[in-house]
Amino acid sequence: MMALVVSASFLMHVGAFNPVSSSMNEYTDTKTWVVDPFIIPPEGNPMQEAIGQPGDFSSYDTIEADAGDRITFIQRPIVSDRNTIGDGSQVHGVYIVNDTNALENERCPVKSSSPCQPFSAGVNETFCAGYVYGLPLVRMGGDGGYIYYTTGELGTLAQMYGIDAGDDTRVMMFACPWRAHCESGMRVKVIVHNVAAEPTELPASQPPSSPSMEAPPLPSTQPPPSPDMEYYTNSVNVAAFNPVSSSMNEYTDTKTWVVDPFIIPPGGNPTREAIGQPGDFSSYDTIEADAGDRITFIQRPIVSDRNTIGAGSQVHGVYIVNDTNALENESCPDTSSSPCQPFSAGVNETVCAGYAYGLPLVRMGGDGGFIYYTTGELGTLARMYGIDQGDGSRMMMFACPWGSHCAAGMRVKVVVRYATTPDNRGLRGAHSTLMYISSAAALLRLIW
């Protein structure tokens, strides 16, 4: 009966809230706006509410921003997918409306004979008529993790994709183009002030005022950190550092490990260092984690792409090695006979031989923004994709499968303790409240 009460309270409709907020960056005097969650507004349907951010809303408030501001969109799975592990069932992306008529009438681009299709084989980009992409379409669901996507500076994007509203102001719109999502309210109007009449060159020699980045929290009502992403020329190799760190979550007594940046290790080449996180490293330390822990991978463009706006030139993804031989030898899967190819038309998934995907391949470059990808619980993933170490732990590996990236050092070995346990309860103290509520809710659904 206790579980019934907990489940009922979770499934009951939670009070309305505003999914748009902002925080000021004291170093740059600009704001990071946060849209959390970026899902179809639940409008009274608790099964459509976001895991980790429950509540009801019917639309997104208009954002009135300055040209130097950015927006972070947080992609989360919804309650009805809470027991789905793997691909899930929600297909969401963050695209920019590129249709003047739609912008003038504040509506979605008209559906046409050109629905979302893969843009090019081997690169996880999806073309949708009337849109340009920011974060390509990705499946969300269950314990598959969640994604933070932060745009480039809004002034630059508004110059490219907004419509003139007078007084150095332009109007643009972000939306999810998947099927009826935009029409269902999954869109955000943005008014950008102080937009220069002509595009300006990106500064070429400004060091970042705050090169470090705090680890993003587990799903909560708190906005993500607002890192400074100034552009600079890194002509001198910066001292080596460790790109792997961790922080403890006091509520769940679990860790979030942070891999920042997740790029090909620069190995002494300053042009390959990450924008916003300069420094040199040759490989990633092995992560020794507990089953309830998670990992956040931070995708950033590199210095040599600092003046590239748009698609950029770096193709990176966060995939899980799913090849026993490669794991046993701590090497990369052989993809020569079956390179990365789109999985299915209209869904931005890419199948690569020997891998299972977490964050699909995405182009990174210049002012196109950066991405946080947080995995599901490592115990669950290790039981699915890891190999037994004989001591109650399992070993798994995350890597980028694009080209020779994995072989060049873009991979992280993870040893997960207690991963042979049927679930992740009782590890290092309290278990995740999120998992407890999800399990209780599942019980109620069976009772009903």
Side-chain angles (χ1 to χ4, degrees), residues 376-414:
E377 291 188 347
L378 294 175
T380 301
L381 297 177
R383 287 192 293 275
M384 296 171 68
Y385 303 110
I387 56 175
D388 191 0
Q389 299 294 283
D391 57 358
S393 66
R394 296 181 73 83
M395 189 271 279
M396 60 185 301
M397 189 157 58
F398 293 87
C400 175
W402 182 253
S404 60
H405 290 190
C406 177
M410 197 171 172
R411 62 183 187 271
V412 182
K413 174 184 173 182
V414 183

PDB file of all heavy atoms in Angstrom, residues 376-414:
ATOM      1  N   GLY A 376      22.709   7.180 -18.966  1.00  0.00           N
ATOM      2  CA  GLY A 376      21.867   6.570 -17.954  1.00  0.00           C
ATOM      3  C   GLY A 376      22.771   6.001 -16.863  1.00  0.00           C
ATOM      4  O   GLY A 376      23.999   6.167 -16.894  1.00  0.00           O
ATOM      5  N   GLU A 377      22.174   5.314 -15.871  1.00  0.00           N
ATOM      6  CA  GLU A 377      22.980   4.746 -14.787  1.00  0.00           C
ATOM      7  C   GLU A 377      23.949   3.705 -15.348  1.00  0.00           C
ATOM      8  O   GLU A 377      23.584   2.852 -16.157  1.00  0.00           O
ATOM      9  CB  GLU A 377      22.081   4.132 -13.722  1.00  0.00           C
ATOM     10  CG  GLU A 377      21.296   5.184 -12.941  1.00  0.00           C
ATOM     11  CD  GLU A 377      20.545   4.591 -11.768  1.00  0.00           C
ATOM     12  OE1 GLU A 377      20.436   3.343 -11.696  1.00  0.00           O
ATOM     13  OE2 GLU A 377      20.070   5.364 -10.914  1.00  0.00           O
ATOM     14  N   LEU A 378      25.197   3.773 -14.907  1.00  0.00           N
ATOM     15  CA  LEU A 378      26.245   2.920 -15.469  1.00  0.00           C
ATOM     16  C   LEU A 378      26.023   1.441 -15.178  1.00  0.00           C
ATOM     17  O   LEU A 378      26.420   0.585 -15.966  1.00  0.00           O
ATOM     18  CB  LEU A 378      27.608   3.364 -14.941  1.00  0.00           C
ATOM     19  CG  LEU A 378      28.049   4.764 -15.398  1.00  0.00           C
ATOM     20  CD1 LEU A 378      29.352   5.151 -14.721  1.00  0.00           C
ATOM     21  CD2 LEU A 378      28.203   4.821 -16.920  1.00  0.00           C
ATOM     22  N   GLY A 379      25.381   1.128 -14.059  1.00  0.00           N
ATOM     23  CA  GLY A 379      25.108  -0.272 -13.756  1.00  0.00           C
ATOM     24  C   GLY A 379      24.228  -0.917 -14.809  1.00  0.00           C
ATOM     25  O   GLY A 379      24.488  -2.047 -15.259  1.00  0.00           O
ATOM     26  N   THR A 380      23.204  -0.194 -15.221  1.00  0.00           N
ATOM     27  CA  THR A 380      22.305  -0.703 -16.262  1.00  0.00           C
ATOM     28  C   THR A 380      23.047  -0.877 -17.578  1.00  0.00           C
ATOM     29  O   THR A 380      22.943  -1.917 -18.250  1.00  0.00           O
ATOM     30  CB  THR A 380      21.121   0.255 -16.459  1.00  0.00           C
ATOM     31  OG1 THR A 380      20.410   0.379 -15.222  1.00  0.00           O
ATOM     32  CG2 THR A 380      20.177  -0.257 -17.532  1.00  0.00           C
ATOM     33  N   LEU A 381      23.826   0.124 -17.968  1.00  0.00           N
ATOM     34  CA  LEU A 381      24.553   0.063 -19.238  1.00  0.00           C
ATOM     35  C   LEU A 381      25.630  -1.023 -19.210  1.00  0.00           C
ATOM     36  O   LEU A 381      25.847  -1.716 -20.211  1.00  0.00           O
ATOM     37  CB  LEU A 381      25.182   1.422 -19.535  1.00  0.00           C
ATOM     38  CG  LEU A 381      24.190   2.583 -19.729  1.00  0.00           C
ATOM     39  CD1 LEU A 381      24.938   3.890 -19.948  1.00  0.00           C
ATOM     40  CD2 LEU A 381      23.259   2.310 -20.906  1.00  0.00           C
ATOM     41  N   ALA A 382      26.306  -1.188 -18.056  1.00  0.00           N
ATOM     42  CA  ALA A 382      27.365  -2.199 -17.957  1.00  0.00           C
ATOM     43  C   ALA A 382      26.801  -3.610 -18.073  1.00  0.00           C
ATOM     44  O   ALA A 382      27.443  -4.502 -18.636  1.00  0.00           O
ATOM     45  CB  ALA A 382      28.124  -2.038 -16.640  1.00  0.00           C
ATOM     46  N   ARG A 383      25.600  -3.823 -17.536  1.00  0.00           N
ATOM     47  CA  ARG A 383      24.995  -5.152 -17.665  1.00  0.00           C
ATOM     48  C   ARG A 383      24.608  -5.437 -19.115  1.00  0.00           C
ATOM     49  O   ARG A 383      24.617  -6.588 -19.550  1.00  0.00           O
ATOM     50  CB  ARG A 383      23.773  -5.267 -16.742  1.00  0.00           C
ATOM     51  CG  ARG A 383      24.135  -5.391 -15.277  1.00  0.00           C
ATOM     52  CD  ARG A 383      22.945  -5.796 -14.424  1.00  0.00           C
ATOM     53  NE  ARG A 383      21.939  -4.753 -14.370  1.00  0.00           N
ATOM     54  CZ  ARG A 383      21.950  -3.733 -13.514  1.00  0.00           C
ATOM     55  NH1 ARG A 383      22.954  -3.623 -12.654  1.00  0.00           N
ATOM     56  NH2 ARG A 383      21.002  -2.833 -13.515  1.00  0.00           N
ATOM     57  N   MET A 384      24.282  -4.405 -19.864  1.00  0.00           N
ATOM     58  CA  MET A 384      23.895  -4.582 -21.262  1.00  0.00           C
ATOM     59  C   MET A 384      25.104  -4.713 -22.188  1.00  0.00           C
ATOM     60  O   MET A 384      25.101  -5.500 -23.126  1.00  0.00           O
ATOM     61  CB  MET A 384      23.028  -3.405 -21.713  1.00  0.00           C
ATOM     62  CG  MET A 384      21.690  -3.279 -21.000  1.00  0.00           C
ATOM     63  SD  MET A 384      20.822  -1.731 -21.376  1.00  0.00           S
ATOM     64  CE  MET A 384      20.411  -1.995 -23.105  1.00  0.00           C
ATOM     65  N   TYR A 385      26.175  -3.920 -21.923  1.00  0.00           N
ATOM     66  CA  TYR A 385      27.269  -3.805 -22.885  1.00  0.00           C
ATOM     67  C   TYR A 385      28.658  -4.106 -22.326  1.00  0.00           C
ATOM     68  O   TYR A 385      29.633  -4.103 -23.080  1.00  0.00           O
ATOM     69  CB  TYR A 385      27.278  -2.383 -23.469  1.00  0.00           C
ATOM     70  CG  TYR A 385      25.976  -1.985 -24.113  1.00  0.00           C
ATOM     71  CD1 TYR A 385      25.148  -1.018 -23.540  1.00  0.00           C
ATOM     72  CD2 TYR A 385      25.545  -2.594 -25.293  1.00  0.00           C
ATOM     73  CE1 TYR A 385      23.951  -0.645 -24.129  1.00  0.00           C
ATOM     74  CE2 TYR A 385      24.346  -2.236 -25.886  1.00  0.00           C
ATOM     75  CZ  TYR A 385      23.555  -1.267 -25.291  1.00  0.00           C
ATOM     76  OH  TYR A 385      22.358  -0.909 -25.877  1.00  0.00           O
ATOM     77  N   GLY A 386      28.775  -4.374 -21.015  1.00  0.00           N
ATOM     78  CA  GLY A 386      30.085  -4.604 -20.432  1.00  0.00           C
ATOM     79  C   GLY A 386      30.466  -6.070 -20.400  1.00  0.00           C
ATOM     80  O   GLY A 386      29.673  -6.958 -20.712  1.00  0.00           O
ATOM     81  N   ILE A 387      31.727  -6.342 -20.011  1.00  0.00           N
ATOM     82  CA  ILE A 387      32.187  -7.719 -19.856  1.00  0.00           C
ATOM     83  C   ILE A 387      32.525  -7.943 -18.379  1.00  0.00           C
ATOM     84  O   ILE A 387      33.030  -7.055 -17.687  1.00  0.00           O
ATOM     85  CB  ILE A 387      33.404  -8.037 -20.746  1.00  0.00           C
ATOM     86  CG1 ILE A 387      34.561  -7.062 -20.486  1.00  0.00           C
ATOM     87  CG2 ILE A 387      33.002  -7.997 -22.209  1.00  0.00           C
ATOM     88  CD1 ILE A 387      35.827  -7.413 -21.244  1.00  0.00           C
ATOM     89  N   ASP A 388      32.257  -9.146 -17.908  1.00  0.00           N
ATOM     90  CA  ASP A 388      32.428  -9.496 -16.497  1.00  0.00           C
ATOM     91  C   ASP A 388      33.909  -9.504 -16.118  1.00  0.00           C
ATOM     92  O   ASP A 388      34.743 -10.069 -16.827  1.00  0.00           O
ATOM     93  CB  ASP A 388      31.806 -10.874 -16.250  1.00  0.00           C
ATOM     94  CG  ASP A 388      31.693 -11.212 -14.766  1.00  0.00           C
ATOM     95  OD1 ASP A 388      32.100 -10.377 -13.936  1.00  0.00           O
ATOM     96  OD2 ASP A 388      31.204 -12.318 -14.454  1.00  0.00           O
ATOM     97  N   GLN A 389      34.234  -8.880 -14.971  1.00  0.00           N
ATOM     98  CA  GLN A 389      35.609  -8.832 -14.487  1.00  0.00           C
ATOM     99  C   GLN A 389      35.870  -9.857 -13.383  1.00  0.00           C
ATOM    100  O   GLN A 389      36.962  -9.926 -12.831  1.00  0.00           O
ATOM    101  CB  GLN A 389      35.932  -7.427 -13.972  1.00  0.00           C
ATOM    102  CG  GLN A 389      35.811  -6.343 -15.033  1.00  0.00           C
ATOM    103  CD  GLN A 389      36.842  -6.509 -16.131  1.00  0.00           C
ATOM    104  OE1 GLN A 389      38.011  -6.185 -15.948  1.00  0.00           O
ATOM    105  NE2 GLN A 389      36.419  -7.023 -17.285  1.00  0.00           N
ATOM    106  N   GLY A 390      34.829 -10.623 -13.007  1.00  0.00           N
ATOM    107  CA  GLY A 390      35.004 -11.695 -12.048  1.00  0.00           C
ATOM    108  C   GLY A 390      34.979 -11.291 -10.589  1.00  0.00           C
ATOM    109  O   GLY A 390      35.112 -12.141  -9.702  1.00  0.00           O
ATOM    110  N   ASP A 391      34.809 -10.027 -10.300  1.00  0.00           N
ATOM    111  CA  ASP A 391      34.795  -9.568  -8.909  1.00  0.00           C
ATOM    112  C   ASP A 391      33.532  -8.763  -8.595  1.00  0.00           C
ATOM    113  O   ASP A 391      33.530  -7.926  -7.700  1.00  0.00           O
ATOM    114  CB  ASP A 391      36.036  -8.727  -8.616  1.00  0.00           C
ATOM    115  CG  ASP A 391      36.155  -7.528  -9.549  1.00  0.00           C
ATOM    116  OD1 ASP A 391      35.288  -7.372 -10.447  1.00  0.00           O
ATOM    117  OD2 ASP A 391      37.099  -6.736  -9.393  1.00  0.00           O
ATOM    118  N   GLY A 392      32.475  -9.008  -9.368  1.00  0.00           N
ATOM    119  CA  GLY A 392      31.238  -8.250  -9.192  1.00  0.00           C
ATOM    120  C   GLY A 392      31.193  -6.980 -10.008  1.00  0.00           C
ATOM    121  O   GLY A 392      30.195  -6.261  -9.982  1.00  0.00           O
ATOM    122  N   SER A 393      32.259  -6.701 -10.745  1.00  0.00           N
ATOM    123  CA  SER A 393      32.293  -5.506 -11.586  1.00  0.00           C
ATOM    124  C   SER A 393      32.259  -5.894 -13.064  1.00  0.00           C
ATOM    125  O   SER A 393      32.531  -7.046 -13.429  1.00  0.00           O
ATOM    126  CB  SER A 393      33.551  -4.676 -11.301  1.00  0.00           C
ATOM    127  OG  SER A 393      34.715  -5.386 -11.683  1.00  0.00           O
ATOM    128  N   ARG A 394      31.933  -4.924 -13.901  1.00  0.00           N
ATOM    129  CA  ARG A 394      31.939  -5.120 -15.347  1.00  0.00           C
ATOM    130  C   ARG A 394      32.672  -3.949 -15.987  1.00  0.00           C
ATOM    131  O   ARG A 394      32.625  -2.818 -15.491  1.00  0.00           O
ATOM    132  CB  ARG A 394      30.515  -5.241 -15.908  1.00  0.00           C
ATOM    133  CG  ARG A 394      29.783  -6.468 -15.387  1.00  0.00           C
ATOM    134  CD  ARG A 394      28.376  -6.585 -15.965  1.00  0.00           C
ATOM    135  NE  ARG A 394      28.355  -6.978 -17.368  1.00  0.00           N
ATOM    136  CZ  ARG A 394      28.434  -8.234 -17.797  1.00  0.00           C
ATOM    137  NH1 ARG A 394      28.565  -9.230 -16.922  1.00  0.00           N
ATOM    138  NH2 ARG A 394      28.387  -8.527 -19.077  1.00  0.00           N
ATOM    139  N   MET A 395      33.369  -4.238 -17.092  1.00  0.00           N
ATOM    140  CA  MET A 395      34.121  -3.210 -17.794  1.00  0.00           C
ATOM    141  C   MET A 395      33.425  -2.868 -19.101  1.00  0.00           C
ATOM    142  O   MET A 395      32.974  -3.749 -19.827  1.00  0.00           O
ATOM    143  CB  MET A 395      35.546  -3.689 -18.064  1.00  0.00           C
ATOM    144  CG  MET A 395      36.469  -2.583 -18.598  1.00  0.00           C
ATOM    145  SD  MET A 395      36.452  -2.423 -20.422  1.00  0.00           S
ATOM    146  CE  MET A 395      37.592  -3.747 -20.849  1.00  0.00           C
ATOM    147  N   MET A 396      33.323  -1.588 -19.388  1.00  0.00           N
ATOM    148  CA  MET A 396      32.743  -1.140 -20.646  1.00  0.00           C
ATOM    149  C   MET A 396      33.581   0.020 -21.182  1.00  0.00           C
ATOM    150  O   MET A 396      34.518   0.487 -20.534  1.00  0.00           O
ATOM    151  CB  MET A 396      31.283  -0.720 -20.449  1.00  0.00           C
ATOM    152  CG  MET A 396      31.074   0.403 -19.461  1.00  0.00           C
ATOM    153  SD  MET A 396      29.320   0.778 -19.148  1.00  0.00           S
ATOM    154  CE  MET A 396      28.747   1.180 -20.791  1.00  0.00           C
ATOM    155  N   MET A 397      33.242   0.483 -22.375  1.00  0.00           N
ATOM    156  CA  MET A 397      34.032   1.555 -22.976  1.00  0.00           C
ATOM    157  C   MET A 397      33.137   2.454 -23.826  1.00  0.00           C
ATOM    158  O   MET A 397      32.281   1.978 -24.570  1.00  0.00           O
ATOM    159  CB  MET A 397      35.164   0.968 -23.824  1.00  0.00           C
ATOM    160  CG  MET A 397      36.177   1.988 -24.315  1.00  0.00           C
ATOM    161  SD  MET A 397      37.795   1.236 -24.719  1.00  0.00           S
ATOM    162  CE  MET A 397      37.341   0.019 -25.957  1.00  0.00           C
ATOM    163  N   PHE A 398      33.338   3.756 -23.682  1.00  0.00           N
ATOM    164  CA  PHE A 398      32.671   4.750 -24.515  1.00  0.00           C
ATOM    165  C   PHE A 398      33.687   5.277 -25.517  1.00  0.00           C
ATOM    166  O   PHE A 398      34.861   5.467 -25.193  1.00  0.00           O
ATOM    167  CB  PHE A 398      32.148   5.913 -23.663  1.00  0.00           C
ATOM    168  CG  PHE A 398      31.032   5.540 -22.727  1.00  0.00           C
ATOM    169  CD1 PHE A 398      31.310   5.044 -21.462  1.00  0.00           C
ATOM    170  CD2 PHE A 398      29.708   5.678 -23.118  1.00  0.00           C
ATOM    171  CE1 PHE A 398      30.279   4.694 -20.599  1.00  0.00           C
ATOM    172  CE2 PHE A 398      28.672   5.338 -22.258  1.00  0.00           C
ATOM    173  CZ  PHE A 398      28.957   4.850 -20.989  1.00  0.00           C
ATOM    174  N   ALA A 399      33.240   5.554 -26.748  1.00  0.00           N
ATOM    175  CA  ALA A 399      34.167   6.035 -27.772  1.00  0.00           C
ATOM    176  C   ALA A 399      33.414   6.779 -28.859  1.00  0.00           C
ATOM    177  O   ALA A 399      32.186   6.694 -28.971  1.00  0.00           O
ATOM    178  CB  ALA A 399      34.938   4.863 -28.386  1.00  0.00           C
ATOM    179  N   CYS A 400      34.174   7.532 -29.651  1.00  0.00           N
ATOM    180  CA  CYS A 400      33.625   8.132 -30.873  1.00  0.00           C
ATOM    181  C   CYS A 400      34.013   7.240 -32.042  1.00  0.00           C
ATOM    182  O   CYS A 400      35.197   6.972 -32.254  1.00  0.00           O
ATOM    183  CB  CYS A 400      34.184   9.533 -31.090  1.00  0.00           C
ATOM    184  SG  CYS A 400      33.642  10.265 -32.673  1.00  0.00           S
ATOM    185  N   PRO A 401      33.023   6.754 -32.816  1.00  0.00           N
ATOM    186  CA  PRO A 401      33.333   5.812 -33.893  1.00  0.00           C
ATOM    187  C   PRO A 401      33.656   6.465 -35.232  1.00  0.00           C
ATOM    188  O   PRO A 401      33.934   5.777 -36.198  1.00  0.00           O
ATOM    189  CB  PRO A 401      32.029   5.016 -34.008  1.00  0.00           C
ATOM    190  CG  PRO A 401      30.970   6.037 -33.723  1.00  0.00           C
ATOM    191  CD  PRO A 401      31.578   6.942 -32.649  1.00  0.00           C
ATOM    192  N   TRP A 402      33.608   7.800 -35.283  1.00  0.00           N
ATOM    193  CA  TRP A 402      33.788   8.481 -36.568  1.00  0.00           C
ATOM    194  C   TRP A 402      35.234   8.419 -37.046  1.00  0.00           C
ATOM    195  O   TRP A 402      36.153   8.806 -36.339  1.00  0.00           O
ATOM    196  CB  TRP A 402      33.353   9.942 -36.450  1.00  0.00           C
ATOM    197  CG  TRP A 402      33.469  10.704 -37.726  1.00  0.00           C
ATOM    198  CD1 TRP A 402      34.389  11.652 -38.045  1.00  0.00           C
ATOM    199  CD2 TRP A 402      32.634  10.553 -38.885  1.00  0.00           C
ATOM    200  NE1 TRP A 402      34.185  12.112 -39.314  1.00  0.00           N
ATOM    201  CE2 TRP A 402      33.118  11.462 -39.856  1.00  0.00           C
ATOM    202  CE3 TRP A 402      31.547   9.761 -39.183  1.00  0.00           C
ATOM    203  CZ2 TRP A 402      32.520  11.585 -41.108  1.00  0.00           C
ATOM    204  CZ3 TRP A 402      30.952   9.877 -40.436  1.00  0.00           C
ATOM    205  CH2 TRP A 402      31.444  10.782 -41.375  1.00  0.00           C
ATOM    206  N   GLY A 403      35.428   7.918 -38.278  1.00  0.00           N
ATOM    207  CA  GLY A 403      36.761   7.837 -38.841  1.00  0.00           C
ATOM    208  C   GLY A 403      37.713   7.099 -37.919  1.00  0.00           C
ATOM    209  O   GLY A 403      37.427   6.000 -37.435  1.00  0.00           O
ATOM    210  N   SER A 404      38.851   7.705 -37.648  1.00  0.00           N
ATOM    211  CA  SER A 404      39.855   7.075 -36.790  1.00  0.00           C
ATOM    212  C   SER A 404      39.859   7.676 -35.388  1.00  0.00           C
ATOM    213  O   SER A 404      40.849   7.571 -34.668  1.00  0.00           O
ATOM    214  CB  SER A 404      41.251   7.236 -37.415  1.00  0.00           C
ATOM    215  OG  SER A 404      41.569   8.607 -37.551  1.00  0.00           O
ATOM    216  N   HIS A 405      38.755   8.310 -34.991  1.00  0.00           N
ATOM    217  CA  HIS A 405      38.738   9.008 -33.703  1.00  0.00           C
ATOM    218  C   HIS A 405      39.002   8.092 -32.519  1.00  0.00           C
ATOM    219  O   HIS A 405      39.770   8.428 -31.618  1.00  0.00           O
ATOM    220  CB  HIS A 405      37.410   9.750 -33.520  1.00  0.00           C
ATOM    221  CG  HIS A 405      37.263  10.930 -34.431  1.00  0.00           C
ATOM    222  ND1 HIS A 405      36.261  11.857 -34.305  1.00  0.00           N
ATOM    223  CD2 HIS A 405      38.011  11.346 -35.494  1.00  0.00           C
ATOM    224  CE1 HIS A 405      36.391  12.777 -35.244  1.00  0.00           C
ATOM    225  NE2 HIS A 405      37.438  12.481 -35.982  1.00  0.00           N
ATOM    226  N   CYS A 406      38.356   6.932 -32.489  1.00  0.00           N
ATOM    227  CA  CYS A 406      38.573   6.004 -31.382  1.00  0.00           C
ATOM    228  C   CYS A 406      40.043   5.595 -31.313  1.00  0.00           C
ATOM    229  O   CYS A 406      40.669   5.653 -30.254  1.00  0.00           O
ATOM    230  CB  CYS A 406      37.679   4.774 -31.527  1.00  0.00           C
ATOM    231  SG  CYS A 406      37.931   3.505 -30.251  1.00  0.00           S
ATOM    232  N   ALA A 407      40.594   5.215 -32.447  1.00  0.00           N
ATOM    233  CA  ALA A 407      41.989   4.775 -32.487  1.00  0.00           C
ATOM    234  C   ALA A 407      42.948   5.893 -32.101  1.00  0.00           C
ATOM    235  O   ALA A 407      44.045   5.642 -31.590  1.00  0.00           O
ATOM    236  CB  ALA A 407      42.333   4.251 -33.875  1.00  0.00           C
ATOM    237  N   ALA A 408      42.530   7.147 -32.314  1.00  0.00           N
ATOM    238  CA  ALA A 408      43.377   8.295 -31.986  1.00  0.00           C
ATOM    239  C   ALA A 408      43.267   8.687 -30.521  1.00  0.00           C
ATOM    240  O   ALA A 408      43.852   9.694 -30.102  1.00  0.00           O
ATOM    241  CB  ALA A 408      43.008   9.476 -32.876  1.00  0.00           C
ATOM    242  N   GLY A 409      42.522   7.910 -29.738  1.00  0.00           N
ATOM    243  CA  GLY A 409      42.463   8.160 -28.299  1.00  0.00           C
ATOM    244  C   GLY A 409      41.156   8.711 -27.781  1.00  0.00           C
ATOM    245  O   GLY A 409      41.037   9.009 -26.584  1.00  0.00           O
ATOM    246  N   MET A 410      40.154   8.834 -28.645  1.00  0.00           N
ATOM    247  CA  MET A 410      38.866   9.390 -28.220  1.00  0.00           C
ATOM    248  C   MET A 410      37.990   8.263 -27.674  1.00  0.00           C
ATOM    249  O   MET A 410      36.968   7.885 -28.256  1.00  0.00           O
ATOM    250  CB  MET A 410      38.192  10.094 -29.394  1.00  0.00           C
ATOM    251  CG  MET A 410      37.076  11.046 -29.010  1.00  0.00           C
ATOM    252  SD  MET A 410      36.538  12.015 -30.427  1.00  0.00           S
ATOM    253  CE  MET A 410      35.095  12.821 -29.718  1.00  0.00           C
ATOM    254  N   ARG A 411      38.429   7.699 -26.545  1.00  0.00           N
ATOM    255  CA  ARG A 411      37.698   6.602 -25.916  1.00  0.00           C
ATOM    256  C   ARG A 411      37.972   6.607 -24.413  1.00  0.00           C
ATOM    257  O   ARG A 411      39.044   7.047 -23.969  1.00  0.00           O
ATOM    258  CB  ARG A 411      38.091   5.263 -26.521  1.00  0.00           C
ATOM    259  CG  ARG A 411      39.544   4.862 -26.363  1.00  0.00           C
ATOM    260  CD  ARG A 411      39.838   3.549 -27.069  1.00  0.00           C
ATOM    261  NE  ARG A 411      41.175   3.040 -26.809  1.00  0.00           N
ATOM    262  CZ  ARG A 411      42.241   3.344 -27.536  1.00  0.00           C
ATOM    263  NH1 ARG A 411      42.137   4.161 -28.587  1.00  0.00           N
ATOM    264  NH2 ARG A 411      43.433   2.827 -27.238  1.00  0.00           N
ATOM    265  N   VAL A 412      37.018   6.129 -23.632  1.00  0.00           N
ATOM    266  CA  VAL A 412      37.120   6.125 -22.180  1.00  0.00           C
ATOM    267  C   VAL A 412      36.737   4.752 -21.653  1.00  0.00           C
ATOM    268  O   VAL A 412      35.616   4.274 -21.886  1.00  0.00           O
ATOM    269  CB  VAL A 412      36.202   7.188 -21.542  1.00  0.00           C
ATOM    270  CG1 VAL A 412      36.365   7.200 -20.027  1.00  0.00           C
ATOM    271  CG2 VAL A 412      36.472   8.572 -22.121  1.00  0.00           C
ATOM    272  N   LYS A 413      37.661   4.112 -20.940  1.00  0.00           N
ATOM    273  CA  LYS A 413      37.392   2.815 -20.300  1.00  0.00           C
ATOM    274  C   LYS A 413      36.720   3.073 -18.951  1.00  0.00           C
ATOM    275  O   LYS A 413      37.130   3.953 -18.194  1.00  0.00           O
ATOM    276  CB  LYS A 413      38.706   2.062 -20.105  1.00  0.00           C
ATOM    277  CG  LYS A 413      38.583   0.756 -19.316  1.00  0.00           C
ATOM    278  CD  LYS A 413      39.960   0.134 -19.095  1.00  0.00           C
ATOM    279  CE  LYS A 413      39.903  -1.071 -18.175  1.00  0.00           C
ATOM    280  NZ  LYS A 413      41.255  -1.649 -17.927  1.00  0.00           N
ATOM    281  N   VAL A 414      35.670   2.281 -18.652  1.00  0.00           N
ATOM    282  CA  VAL A 414      34.925   2.444 -17.414  1.00  0.00           C
ATOM    283  C   VAL A 414      34.774   1.088 -16.731  1.00  0.00           C
ATOM    284  O   VAL A 414      34.291   0.132 -17.337  1.00  0.00           O
ATOM    285  CB  VAL A 414      33.526   3.044 -17.677  1.00  0.00           C
ATOM    286  CG1 VAL A 414      32.785   3.269 -16.365  1.00  0.00           C
ATOM    287  CG2 VAL A 414      33.631   4.351 -18.463  1.00  0.00           C
TER     288      VAL A 414
END
